[in-house]
Amino acid sequence: MCKELFAIFGNPVSHSKSPLMHNLAFQGLGIDACYTRHLLKDGSTLKETFFNLGLKGINITVPHKEAAFNACDSLDPFAQKIGVVNTIVEREGKLHGYNTDAPGFLKAIAEFKEVKTVLFLGAGGTAQSTSSILKEEGYEVTLLNRSEGRLEKYKADGFETHTFETFQAKSYDLVINMTSAGLEDENLPAPTHILDSVIPKAKACVDVIYGKETPFLKLAKSHNKPTKDGSDMLLYQGIIAFEYFNNHLFSFEQIKTHMQRVFDFN
Ligand code: NDP
């Protein structure tokens, strides 16, 4: 029996790499804790489920990141601003909420220097937190989405937004696939003529999907562009969550040494 218990809540949740990542770090750092997964069907039961399972902390994945926001007793300022929580820590019977997807993503793209303009392909939940942190950091983010509906809130937040029909290509330093196109299919995130108008001018292309070379990254490579998939984003959001779980007792690099072994497993 472990002293402290952690979990990921989601639906589906069986595919998640978080249990392996966190357990590798707990073992490697000699912490008496375990991390498991829990299929949460009804987001409104998140808080009672957390306490019923006797947990110390959780990560939250699709579709419960907004329910997680609502379940918290206190929020860190960035999570408060974007309304999306993927990490909760219990302290003295209260739930404290954080978002680690966005800072994880920010760190993952830090290797690309002299980047100012960024084109997001997609405007879903992941784009929401990551566009917000990039804007805070001074990047100019334009969002291009297949359908109009999701763009409304970005427009209201002052982002430049387009659908495929209204888009007129400019030059963007980074082009990033924020859609699920290519995840379980071989689709591109936008029509080829649009991608062919922005990729050649980009310094690099990034995909948030990990574990496979997507059609988007294949296309970027065919244009001889540097590419990066979503593995570091996955790893870094996990490391930052682990820092919260353990009160920043270990450094980012110490945690990374153990957690990155997740990629040794298939
Ligand atoms: P959402 O369901 O919230 O949004 C999906 C987005 O993809 C929408 O903008 C949707 O457009 C668009 N889309 C889906 N299919 C297509 C298609 N065939 N062509 C064009 N656009 C399409 O998803 P999330 O934001 O939660 O996730 C997006 C991606 O991010 C996923 O692939 C997920 O695996 C990945 N991810 C990676 C993480 C990591 O750590 N690396 C962490 C979290 C997510 P529309 O509005 O028109 O439907």
Coordinates of all heavy atoms in Angstrom, one line a residue, residues 28-88:
G28 N 11.9 6.4 -9.1 CA 13.2 6.9 -9.3 C 13.7 7.9 -8.2 O 14.9 7.9 -7.9
L29 N 12.7 8.6 -7.7 CA 13.1 9.6 -6.7 C 12.9 9.1 -5.2 O 13.0 9.8 -4.3 CB 12.3 10.9 -6.9 CG 12.7 11.6 -8.2 CD1 11.6 12.7 -8.5 CD2 14.0 12.3 -8.1
G30 N 12.5 7.8 -5.1 CA 12.3 7.2 -3.8 C 11.1 7.7 -3.0 O 11.2 7.8 -1.8
I31 N 10.1 8.1 -3.7 CA 8.9 8.6 -3.0 C 7.9 7.5 -2.8 O 7.6 6.7 -3.8 CB 8.2 9.7 -3.8 CG1 9.3 10.9 -4.0 CG2 7.0 10.3 -3.1 CD1 8.8 11.9 -5.0
D32 N 7.3 7.4 -1.6 CA 6.3 6.3 -1.3 C 4.9 6.8 -1.8 O 4.1 7.3 -1.0 CB 6.3 6.1 0.2 CG 5.5 4.9 0.6 OD1 4.9 4.2 -0.3 OD2 5.3 4.6 1.8
A33 N 4.7 6.6 -3.1 CA 3.4 7.1 -3.7 C 3.1 6.2 -4.9 O 4.1 5.7 -5.5 CB 3.5 8.6 -4.0
C34 N 1.9 6.2 -5.3 CA 1.4 5.4 -6.5 C 0.5 6.3 -7.3 O -0.2 7.2 -6.7 CB 0.7 4.2 -6.1 SG 1.6 3.0 -5.1
Y35 N 0.5 6.1 -8.6 CA -0.4 6.9 -9.5 C -1.2 5.9 -10.3 O -0.6 5.0 -11.0 CB 0.5 7.7 -10.3 CG -0.2 8.8 -11.2 CD1 0.0 10.1 -10.9 CD2 -1.0 8.4 -12.3 CE1 -0.5 11.1 -11.7 CE2 -1.6 9.4 -13.0 CZ -1.4 10.7 -12.8 OH -1.9 11.7 -13.5
T36 N -2.5 6.1 -10.3 CA -3.4 5.1 -11.0 C -4.3 5.9 -12.0 O -4.1 7.1 -12.2 CB -4.2 4.3 -10.0 OG1 -5.0 3.4 -10.7 CG2 -5.1 5.2 -9.2
R37 N -5.2 5.2 -12.6 CA -6.1 5.9 -13.6 C -7.5 5.6 -13.1 O -7.8 4.5 -12.6 CB -5.9 5.5 -15.0 CG -6.1 4.1 -15.3 CD -5.8 3.8 -16.8 NE -4.4 3.3 -16.9 CZ -3.5 3.7 -17.8 NH1 -3.9 4.7 -18.7 NH2 -2.3 3.2 -17.8
H38 N -8.4 6.6 -13.4 CA -9.8 6.4 -13.0 C -10.7 6.9 -14.1 O -10.6 8.1 -14.5 CB -10.1 7.2 -11.7 CG -11.6 7.0 -11.3 ND1 -12.0 5.9 -10.6 CD2 -12.6 7.8 -11.5 CE1 -13.3 6.0 -10.3 NE2 -13.7 7.1 -10.9
L39 N -11.6 6.0 -14.6 CA -12.5 6.4 -15.6 C -13.7 7.2 -15.0 O -14.5 6.6 -14.3 CB -13.1 5.1 -16.3 CG -14.2 5.3 -17.4 CD1 -13.6 6.0 -18.6 CD2 -14.8 4.0 -17.8
L40 N -13.7 8.5 -15.2 CA -14.7 9.3 -14.6 C -15.8 9.6 -15.7 O -15.5 10.3 -16.6 CB -14.1 10.6 -14.1 CG -15.1 11.5 -13.3 CD1 -15.4 10.9 -11.9 CD2 -14.5 12.9 -13.1
K41 N -17.0 9.1 -15.4 CA -18.0 9.3 -16.5 C -18.7 10.6 -16.3 O -19.0 11.3 -17.3 CB -19.0 8.1 -16.4 CG -18.4 6.8 -16.9 CD -19.3 5.7 -17.1 CE -18.6 4.5 -17.7 NZ -19.2 3.3 -17.3
D42 N -19.0 11.0 -15.1 CA -19.7 12.2 -14.8 C -18.8 13.3 -14.1 O -18.5 13.1 -13.0 CB -20.9 11.8 -13.9 CG -21.8 13.0 -13.6 OD1 -21.5 14.2 -14.0 OD2 -22.8 12.8 -12.8
G43 N -18.5 14.3 -14.8 CA -17.6 15.3 -14.3 C -18.1 16.0 -13.0 O -17.3 16.5 -12.2
S44 N -19.4 16.0 -12.8 CA -20.0 16.7 -11.7 C -19.7 15.9 -10.4 O -19.9 16.4 -9.3 CB -21.5 16.9 -11.8 OG -22.1 15.7 -11.7
T45 N -19.2 14.7 -10.5 CA -18.9 13.8 -9.3 C -17.4 13.9 -9.0 O -16.9 13.1 -8.2 CB -19.3 12.4 -9.5 OG1 -18.5 11.8 -10.6 CG2 -20.8 12.2 -9.9
L46 N -16.6 14.8 -9.7 CA -15.2 14.8 -9.6 C -14.7 14.9 -8.2 O -13.9 14.2 -7.7 CB -14.6 15.9 -10.5 CG -13.1 15.9 -10.7 CD1 -12.7 16.4 -12.1 CD2 -12.4 16.8 -9.6
K47 N -15.3 15.9 -7.5 CA -14.8 16.2 -6.1 C -15.1 15.0 -5.1 O -14.2 14.6 -4.4 CB -15.5 17.5 -5.6 CG -14.8 18.1 -4.4 CD -15.4 19.5 -4.1 CE -14.6 20.2 -3.1 NZ -14.9 21.6 -3.0
E48 N -16.3 14.5 -5.2 CA -16.6 13.4 -4.2 C -15.8 12.2 -4.6 O -15.4 11.4 -3.7 CB -18.1 13.1 -4.2 CG -18.7 12.7 -5.5 CD -20.2 12.3 -5.4 OE1 -20.5 11.2 -4.9 OE2 -21.0 13.0 -5.8
T49 N -15.6 11.9 -5.9 CA -14.8 10.8 -6.3 C -13.3 10.9 -5.8 O -12.7 10.0 -5.3 CB -14.8 10.7 -7.8 OG1 -16.1 10.7 -8.3 CG2 -14.1 9.4 -8.3
F50 N -12.8 12.2 -5.9 CA -11.5 12.4 -5.4 C -11.3 12.0 -3.9 O -10.4 11.3 -3.6 CB -11.2 14.0 -5.6 CG -9.8 14.4 -5.2 CD1 -8.8 14.7 -6.2 CD2 -9.4 14.5 -3.9 CE1 -7.5 15.0 -5.8 CE2 -8.1 14.9 -3.5 CZ -7.2 15.2 -4.5
F51 N -12.3 12.5 -3.1 CA -12.2 12.2 -1.7 C -12.5 10.7 -1.4 O -11.9 10.1 -0.5 CB -13.0 13.2 -0.9 CG -12.4 14.6 -0.8 CD1 -13.0 15.6 -1.5 CD2 -11.2 14.8 -0.1 CE1 -12.4 16.9 -1.4 CE2 -10.6 16.0 -0.1 CZ -11.2 17.1 -0.7
N52 N -13.5 10.2 -2.1 CA -13.8 8.8 -1.8 C -12.6 7.8 -2.1 O -12.5 6.8 -1.5 CB -15.0 8.3 -2.7 CG -16.3 8.9 -2.2 OD1 -16.4 9.4 -1.1 ND2 -17.3 8.9 -3.1
L53 N -11.8 8.2 -3.1 CA -10.7 7.4 -3.4 C -9.4 7.7 -2.6 O -8.4 7.0 -2.7 CB -10.3 7.6 -4.9 CG -11.3 7.1 -6.0 CD1 -10.9 7.5 -7.4 CD2 -11.5 5.6 -5.9
G54 N -9.6 8.7 -1.7 CA -8.5 9.0 -0.8 C -7.2 9.5 -1.5 O -6.1 9.2 -1.1
L55 N -7.4 10.4 -2.5 CA -6.3 10.8 -3.3 C -5.6 12.1 -2.7 O -6.3 12.8 -2.0 CB -6.8 11.2 -4.7 CG -7.4 9.9 -5.5 CD1 -8.2 10.4 -6.7 CD2 -6.2 9.1 -5.9
K56 N -4.4 12.2 -3.1 CA -3.6 13.4 -2.8 C -3.6 14.4 -3.9 O -3.5 15.6 -3.7 CB -2.2 13.0 -2.4 CG -1.3 14.1 -2.0 CD -1.6 14.7 -0.7 CE -0.8 15.9 -0.4 NZ -1.4 16.8 0.6
G57 N -3.6 13.9 -5.1 CA -3.6 14.8 -6.3 C -4.1 14.1 -7.5 O -4.0 12.8 -7.6
I58 N -4.5 14.8 -8.5 CA -4.9 14.2 -9.8 C -4.5 15.1 -11.0 O -4.3 16.3 -10.9 CB -6.5 14.0 -9.9 CG1 -7.2 15.3 -9.6 CG2 -6.9 12.9 -9.0 CD1 -8.7 15.2 -10.0
N59 N -4.4 14.4 -12.1 CA -4.4 15.1 -13.4 C -5.8 14.8 -14.0 O -6.5 13.8 -13.7 CB -3.3 14.6 -14.3 CG -2.0 15.0 -13.9 OD1 -1.1 14.2 -13.6 ND2 -1.8 16.3 -13.8
I60 N -6.2 15.7 -14.9 CA -7.5 15.6 -15.5 C -7.4 15.7 -17.0 O -6.7 16.6 -17.5 CB -8.5 16.7 -15.0 CG1 -8.6 16.7 -13.5 CG2 -9.9 16.5 -15.6 CD1 -7.7 17.6 -12.8
T61 N -8.0 14.8 -17.7 CA -7.9 14.8 -19.2 C -9.3 14.9 -19.7 O -10.3 15.0 -19.0 CB -7.1 13.7 -19.7 OG1 -6.9 13.9 -21.1 CG2 -7.7 12.3 -19.5
V62 N -9.4 14.9 -21.1 CA -10.7 15.1 -21.8 C -11.8 14.2 -21.2 O -11.4 13.0 -21.0 CB -10.5 14.8 -23.3 CG1 -11.8 14.8 -24.1 CG2 -9.5 15.8 -23.9
P63 N -13.0 14.5 -21.0 CA -13.6 15.9 -21.2 C -13.8 16.7 -19.9 O -14.7 17.5 -19.9 CB -14.9 15.5 -21.9 CG -15.3 14.3 -21.1 CD -14.0 13.6 -20.7
H64 N -13.0 16.5 -18.9 CA -13.3 17.0 -17.6 C -12.5 18.2 -17.1 O -12.5 18.5 -15.9 CB -13.2 15.9 -16.6 CG -14.1 14.7 -16.8 ND1 -15.5 14.9 -17.1 CD2 -13.9 13.4 -16.9 CE1 -16.0 13.7 -17.3 NE2 -15.1 12.8 -17.2
K65 N -11.8 18.9 -18.0 CA -10.9 19.9 -17.5 C -11.7 21.2 -17.1 O -11.2 21.9 -16.2 CB -9.9 20.3 -18.6 CG -8.9 19.2 -18.9 CD -7.8 19.6 -19.9 CE -6.9 18.4 -20.2 NZ -5.8 18.7 -21.2
E66 N -12.9 21.3 -17.6 CA -13.7 22.5 -17.1 C -14.4 22.1 -15.8 O -14.6 22.9 -14.9 CB -14.7 22.9 -18.2 CG -14.0 23.7 -19.2 CD -14.9 24.1 -20.4 OE1 -16.2 24.0 -20.3 OE2 -14.4 24.4 -21.5
A67 N -14.8 20.8 -15.7 CA -15.4 20.3 -14.5 C -14.4 20.4 -13.3 O -14.8 20.7 -12.2 CB -15.9 18.9 -14.6
A68 N -13.2 20.1 -13.7 CA -12.1 20.2 -12.7 C -11.9 21.7 -12.2 O -11.7 21.9 -11.0 CB -10.8 19.7 -13.3
F69 N -12.0 22.6 -13.1 CA -12.0 24.0 -12.7 C -13.1 24.3 -11.7 O -12.8 25.0 -10.7 CB -12.2 24.8 -14.0 CG -12.3 26.3 -13.8 CD1 -11.2 27.1 -13.7 CD2 -13.6 26.9 -13.7 CE1 -11.3 28.5 -13.5 CE2 -13.7 28.3 -13.5 CZ -12.6 29.1 -13.4
N70 N -14.3 23.8 -12.0 CA -15.4 24.1 -11.1 C -15.3 23.4 -9.7 O -15.9 23.9 -8.8 CB -16.7 23.7 -11.8 CG -17.0 24.6 -13.0 OD1 -16.7 25.8 -13.0 ND2 -17.6 24.0 -14.0
A71 N -14.6 22.3 -9.7 CA -14.5 21.5 -8.4 C -13.5 22.1 -7.4 O -13.5 21.7 -6.3 CB -14.1 20.1 -8.8
C72 N -12.7 23.1 -7.9 CA -11.6 23.5 -7.0 C -12.0 24.6 -6.0 O -12.9 25.4 -6.2 CB -10.4 24.1 -7.9 SG -9.5 22.9 -8.8
D73 N -11.4 24.5 -4.8 CA -11.6 25.5 -3.8 C -10.7 26.8 -4.0 O -11.1 27.9 -3.6 CB -11.3 25.0 -2.4 CG -12.2 23.8 -2.1 OD1 -13.4 23.9 -2.0 OD2 -11.6 22.6 -1.9
S74 N -9.6 26.6 -4.7 CA -8.8 27.7 -5.0 C -8.0 27.4 -6.3 O -7.8 26.2 -6.7 CB -7.8 28.1 -3.9 OG -6.7 27.3 -4.0
L75 N -7.7 28.5 -7.0 CA -7.1 28.3 -8.3 C -5.8 29.2 -8.5 O -5.8 30.3 -8.0 CB -8.1 28.8 -9.4 CG -9.3 27.9 -9.5 CD1 -10.4 28.7 -10.1 CD2 -9.0 26.7 -10.4
D76 N -4.8 28.7 -9.2 CA -3.7 29.5 -9.5 C -4.1 30.5 -10.5 O -5.1 30.3 -11.3 CB -2.5 28.7 -9.8 CG -2.0 28.8 -11.2 OD1 -2.8 28.5 -12.2 OD2 -0.9 29.2 -11.4
P77 N -3.5 31.7 -10.6 CA -4.0 32.8 -11.4 C -4.2 32.5 -12.9 O -5.2 32.9 -13.5 CB -3.0 33.9 -11.2 CG -2.3 33.6 -9.9 CD -2.4 32.2 -9.7
F78 N -3.3 31.7 -13.4 CA -3.4 31.4 -14.8 C -4.6 30.4 -15.1 O -5.4 30.6 -16.0 CB -2.1 30.7 -15.4 CG -2.2 30.4 -16.8 CD1 -2.2 31.4 -17.8 CD2 -2.3 29.1 -17.3 CE1 -2.3 31.2 -19.2 CE2 -2.4 28.8 -18.7 CZ -2.4 29.9 -19.6
A79 N -4.8 29.4 -14.2 CA -5.9 28.5 -14.3 C -7.2 29.3 -14.2 O -8.2 29.1 -14.9 CB -5.9 27.4 -13.3
Q80 N -7.2 30.2 -13.3 CA -8.4 31.1 -13.0 C -8.8 31.9 -14.3 O -9.9 32.0 -14.7 CB -8.1 32.1 -11.9 CG -9.1 33.2 -11.7 CD -10.2 32.7 -10.8 OE1 -10.0 32.3 -9.6 NE2 -11.4 32.7 -11.3
K81 N -7.7 32.4 -15.0 CA -7.9 33.2 -16.2 C -8.5 32.4 -17.3 O -9.4 32.8 -18.0 CB -6.6 33.8 -16.6 CG -6.6 34.7 -17.8 CD -5.3 35.2 -18.1 CE -5.3 35.8 -19.6 NZ -3.9 36.1 -20.0
I82 N -8.0 31.2 -17.5 CA -8.4 30.4 -18.7 C -9.6 29.5 -18.4 O -10.2 29.0 -19.4 CB -7.3 29.6 -19.4 CG1 -6.6 28.7 -18.3 CG2 -6.2 30.6 -19.9 CD1 -5.7 27.7 -19.0
G83 N -9.9 29.2 -17.2 CA -11.0 28.4 -16.9 C -10.8 26.9 -17.1 O -11.8 26.1 -17.3
V84 N -9.6 26.5 -17.2 CA -9.3 25.1 -17.5 C -8.2 24.5 -16.6 O -7.2 25.1 -16.4 CB -8.7 24.9 -19.0 CG1 -8.5 23.5 -19.4 CG2 -9.6 25.6 -20.0
V85 N -8.6 23.4 -15.9 CA -7.7 22.8 -14.9 C -7.3 21.4 -15.3 O -8.2 20.6 -15.6 CB -8.3 22.9 -13.5 CG1 -7.7 21.9 -12.5 CG2 -8.3 24.3 -12.9
N86 N -6.0 21.1 -15.3 CA -5.6 19.7 -15.6 C -4.8 19.1 -14.4 O -4.4 17.9 -14.5 CB -4.8 19.6 -16.9 CG -3.3 20.0 -16.7 OD1 -3.0 21.0 -15.9 ND2 -2.4 19.3 -17.3
T87 N -4.6 19.8 -13.3 CA -3.9 19.3 -12.2 C -4.6 19.8 -10.9 O -4.8 21.0 -10.8 CB -2.4 19.8 -12.2 OG1 -1.8 19.3 -13.4 CG2 -1.7 19.2 -11.0
I88 N -4.9 18.9 -10.0 CA -5.4 19.3 -8.7 C -4.6 18.7 -7.6 O -4.2 17.5 -7.7 CB -6.9 18.9 -8.6 CG1 -7.8 19.7 -9.5 CG2 -7.4 19.0 -7.1 CD1 -9.3 19.3 -9.5

